[in-house]
Amino acid sequence: MTITLQKFFQFILMRVGPEEETSPIKAGRDLARLCEMLVAHRDVFKKHINGIILEFVDALGDNLEPTRKKAVAPSVYFLLEMVSEHEVNHLNSLLDPTGRAVFQSFYDGFKKRHIYKGT
């Protein structure tokens, strides 16, 4: 399952050529729905999704097109919802200083926009 998820991410992030059949926005919506369903199974998947998040951070560091970032960001938010602080620290340790800055910026946006803190 994690390999399929990783390939889906790669398809959206790295696709080149005509996008008539599958736009990044539509594919991103489908991916977000899939990732949202995985949140309920976080204990099974949380150790395996760091690689997917790392690929996304690498793509961000390589000037990912804004439409692709917008398409994939909700999915990555759901993946980040699954990981604990320990996995976030592990991700940071795997990144170079530039990647760490990119990830920190994205992670701050995740905490600000995606996580609901009830009253």
Side-chain angles (χ1 to χ4, degrees), residues 76-93:
V76 177
Y77 286 161
F78 285 120
L79 296 180
L80 286 171
E81 198 175 305
M82 289 194 277
V83 298
S84 67
E85 200 62 35
H86 174 74
E87 280 90 16
V88 171
N89 291 337
H90 184 243
L91 278 167
N92 274 318
S93 72

Side-chain angles (χ1 to χ4, degrees), residues 66-117:
T67 55
R68 294 187 190 284
K69 177 184 176 187
K70 186 177 179 180
V72 175
S75 302
V76 177
Y77 286 161
F78 285 120
L79 296 180
L80 286 171
E81 198 175 305
M82 289 194 277
V83 298
S84 67
E85 200 62 35
H86 174 74
E87 280 90 16
V88 171
N89 291 337
H90 184 243
L91 278 167
N92 274 318
S93 72
L94 296 173
L95 294 166
D96 62 355
T98 304
R100 201 170 293 127
V102 169
F103 176 70
Q104 192 60 48
S105 172
F106 187 81
Y107 190 68
D108 289 343
F110 159 73
K111 290 191 291 190
K112 188 166 125 182
R113 291 183 199 97
H114 189 75
I115 296 182
Y116 174 75
K117 299 194 187 329

Side-chain angles (χ1 to χ4, degrees), residues 27-68:
R29 261 187 256 126
D30 293 342
L31 182 59
R33 284 197 341 242
L34 174 63
C35 290
E36 185 177 14
M37 286 186 257
L38 293 177
V39 172
H41 308 286
R42 74 181 66 207
D43 293 334
V44 175
F45 291 105
K46 71 180 183 179
K47 301 290 182 189
H48 305 286
I49 60 172
N50 280 354
I52 297 169
I53 297 171
L54 286 173
E55 281 189 46
F56 177 70
V57 172
D58 285 343
L60 282 177
D62 292 338
N63 296 323
L64 181 65
E65 295 173 27
T67 55
R68 294 187 190 284

